Amino acid sequence: MMGEGVITALITIMESERDEEGSGGGDGMLVKHCCAALCHLAHEGSSGSMITEGAVPHVIGAVMETSGPTDEATKQSCCAVLSILSAHEACRRQLCTMGALPALIALARMNDDLTRLRCAVAFANLSHELTVQGLMVEVGVVPVVAELSNSYSEENQLYCGKALCNLGCHFGSELKIVEQGGVSALMMICMVRAVNPFTKQTCAKALLNLLIPEIVEARLDQLAKEGLVQAASSLSKLDDEITMRVCANVFCMLSAAPGGAGRRMLVERRATLADMFA
C-alpha cells in the first residue's frame, strides 16, 4: 500500500482537511478516519518515517486544536498514531522535535482508559531515546506519568515504571524527577498497585537510578518518610535474583550517606530489615 501511494493520499487528505477547517469548513471525521488508516499502516517500520514526516504535524494540530475544535474520537485516533509511531526507534527524536510531547500530555488528561494506556506506552517508548530524555523531564512528563500510574491496569503500571526508569538514566535530571514526584509514583506502583514481578523489578531499577549521592545526602529524610527502606525490603523478598541485586545496591547507596546518616536510618528500621533474613 505504501508503494501504491496510499500513505501519500491520506496525508494529502489530512492537509486539505486542516486547511478547510482553518477557513471554517471541513469535516473532522475525515481526520479521524485517516488516522485510523494510518494506525494500521504505521505498524510497518518502513512506513513510519513517511507518516511521521507527513502526517504527524496534522495529527498534533488536531490534538492541540490549532485549527478549531476536535472531537474526542478523533483525538483518540490521533493518540493511537502517536503511540504506534513511538515504537519505531527512527521516529522518536523527530516526534519530540515536532511537538509530540505537549500533545501526548494533553491526551493523557482525557478520561479514556485506552487513550491513557497509549500515552503511557508512548512515554515509555520515547524515553528509550537518549537525546530526548532531558527534554521529557523539562516539559513535565514525570508528573503526567505519575498521574497515569494512578490505575490498577498492570499494563499501565509497567509502562509508567519503564518511563520513569529510563528517564532516571539521564544524568542531571535525577533531582528534577524526585522533585516532580517520581519516587512517590514508583512507591505506589511497586508497593500498592503492581502485581507482576517484572513491573516491581522495573520500579526497583528506577529507584536505584535516582539514588545518586547528591539526592541521598540532601533528601535522606524525605526518602525515609516515603518508605524507601520498606519498599526495598519488600522487593528484596521477590523470587528474582535481579531484583534482589538491585535492592542490595539500594541499601548500599543508603548506607553510604555522609556522616553515617544512612546507617542510622537503616538501624532505626532494623525490624523491617530483619524480615529480609527471616
Side-chain angles (χ1 to χ4, degrees):
M1 294 183 77
M2 179 178 174
E4 295 173 3
V6 173
I7 293 177
T8 303
L10 290 169
I11 292 172
T12 300
I13 293 172
M14 293 182 75
E15 289 175 344
S16 61
E17 181 61 22
R18 297 314 293 180
D19 289 343
E20 288 186 23
E21 287 185 3
S23 59
D27 177 8
M29 290 295 288
L30 276 176
V31 176
K32 181 178 72 174
H33 292 316
C34 287
C35 285
L38 290 171
C39 281
H40 295 290
L41 297 172
H43 285 289
E44 292 293 331
S46 57
S47 305
S49 296
M50 178 181 290
I51 294 172
T52 299
E53 184 173 344
V56 164
H58 308 293
V59 170
I60 293 173
V63 173
M64 305 305 286
E65 301 183 335
T66 54
S67 300
T70 306
D71 65 271
E72 287 205 356
T74 301
K75 289 183 178 180
Q76 290 166 3
S77 296
C78 291
C79 185
V81 174
L82 295 175
S83 185
I84 292 169
L85 290 174
S86 72
H88 300 307
E89 184 177 351
C91 300
R92 291 169 184 162
R93 185 172 183 177
Q94 190 175 8
L95 283 171
C96 293
T97 302
M98 288 179 164
L101 291 176
L104 286 167
I105 289 173
L107 289 165
R109 298 192 180 103
M110 291 182 65
N111 186 25
D112 178 70
D113 290 341
L114 182 55
T115 298
R116 288 168 64 84
L117 174 59
R118 284 169 171 161
C119 289
V121 170
F123 288 134
N125 288 337
L126 294 173
S127 68
H128 279 282
E129 175 57 48
L130 299 178
T131 60
V132 303
Q133 289 173 342
L135 174 63
M136 292 180 71
V137 176
E138 288 293 334
V139 300
V141 166
V142 172
V144 177
V145 170
E147 174 58 28
L148 288 173
S149 72
N150 186 17
S151 160
Y152 285 94
S153 162
E154 191 69 33
E155 280 189 293
N156 259 52
Q157 306 308 320
L158 176 59
Y159 287 112
C160 288
K162 283 184 175 182
L164 293 173
C165 186
N166 292 332
L167 293 177
C169 294
H170 183 258
F171 179 76
S173 292
E174 300 92 344
L175 182 58
K176 289 181 181 178
I177 294 172
V178 173
E179 291 174 340
Q180 292 175 10
V183 171
S184 299
L186 289 166
M187 293 293 189
M188 287 298 295
I189 295 173
C190 69
M191 295 296 289
V192 178
R193 298 177 181 137
V195 176
N196 190 298
F198 183 69
T199 304
K200 292 176 179 285
Q201 180 195 111
T202 301
C203 290
K205 290 178 178 178
L207 288 168
L208 180 60
N209 287 341
L210 297 175
L211 291 183
I212 60 172
E214 292 83 355
I215 289 178
V216 173
E217 180 177 2
R219 295 176 177 264
L220 189 63
D221 289 341
Q222 177 189 342
L223 294 172
K225 290 176 182 177
E226 290 182 343
L228 180 58
V229 176
Q230 290 87 338
S233 176
S234 176
L235 292 170
S236 67
K237 299 174 190 174
L238 293 176
D239 187 18
D240 178 75
E241 187 174 345
I242 293 176
T243 305
M244 287 189 283
R245 285 205 303 265
V246 171
C247 291
N249 280 320
V250 169
F251 288 125
C252 181
M253 292 298 296
L254 292 175
S255 65
R263 292 192 295 276
R264 287 193 296 273
M265 181 188 73
L266 294 175
V267 169
E268 289 170 0
R269 290 159 178 79
R270 56 185 175 272
T272 300
L273 297 176
D275 290 340
M276 294 190 300
F277 305 101

